[in-house]
Amino acid sequence: MFEFQKLCKEYENLTYDERKAILLEDWVKLCPVLGAIPEGIPSFGIVVLAACAADGKLDPAEYALFLEITGVQLSFEDLAATVEFARGKDLLEAADAIVDTYGDFSEEVKLLMVSFCLCFCSADERITVSEKKFIKKLIR
């Protein structure tokens, strides 16, 4: 448990540029794996959306990272409405199932997905209790 708290602190202390660099590096490694799986990239979008929705709201820093990493052009209001609509137990369980499925291919892939989620959850420089619960569930 202590290691998890330490890991969360490390991500909370990252700068925006450090977080973005980790996301881009993780994406370069994940993209080929996800591209080789039917519906791999769209289903990973569910994981990213779940990370953004883990605490029930979209933060402007999460939004900025989302735009830079995905290239999807949605207004803050539209994405916030999507997060608000999608949040909940079903989304979080779907994300957990996706990470578990991809983790069956490789533990490294699962760790990259967890890192991706940690970056989004820590975008506002704090990881809330609900975000920690979400990430712990992905790790198991």
Side-chain angles (χ1 to χ4, degrees):
M1 186 61 79
F2 175 73
E3 291 298 318
F4 178 71
Q5 293 297 341
K6 185 178 173 184
L7 182 64
C8 288
K9 270 291 175 225
E10 288 175 17
Y11 275 82
E12 288 173 336
N13 291 328
L14 294 172
T15 66
Y16 179 87
D17 288 335
E18 290 169 329
R19 204 171 277 112
K20 180 181 162 189
I22 290 170
L23 285 167
L24 290 172
E25 185 178 311
D26 289 352
W27 182 245
V28 167
K29 294 174 186 172
L30 282 170
C31 198
V33 174
L34 297 173
I37 300 168
E39 298 300 314
I41 292 177
S43 64
F44 186 63
I46 293 170
V47 175
V48 174
L49 183 61
C52 290
D55 65 355
K57 62 182 174 20
L58 180 68
D59 184 272
E62 291 171 336
Y63 172 72
L65 277 173
F66 182 83
L67 288 184
E68 284 206 57
I69 300 306
T70 66
V72 172
Q73 294 301 310
L74 286 173
S75 70
F76 179 82
E77 293 76 20
D78 288 344
L79 189 57
T82 301
V83 166
E84 177 69 25
F85 177 76
R87 76 176 194 187
K89 187 177 179 181
D90 292 342
L91 176 65
L92 300 180
E93 287 179 2
D96 184 40
I98 290 165
V99 170
D100 285 347
T101 299
Y102 294 161
D104 289 343
F105 294 105
S106 159
E107 190 65 25
E108 180 187 9
V109 169
K110 186 172 184 174
L111 293 174
L112 288 168
M113 290 181 164
V114 169
S115 172
F116 216 85
C117 291
L118 277 166
C119 282
F120 276 104
C121 290
S122 67
D124 59 358
E125 298 177 353
R126 62 184 167 75
I127 301 175
T128 66
V129 171
S130 54
E131 290 170 331
K132 287 178 183 179
K133 282 183 184 178
F134 169 71
I135 293 166
K136 282 181 189 177
K137 192 171 184 182
L138 295 181
I139 292 172
R140 285 187 219 130

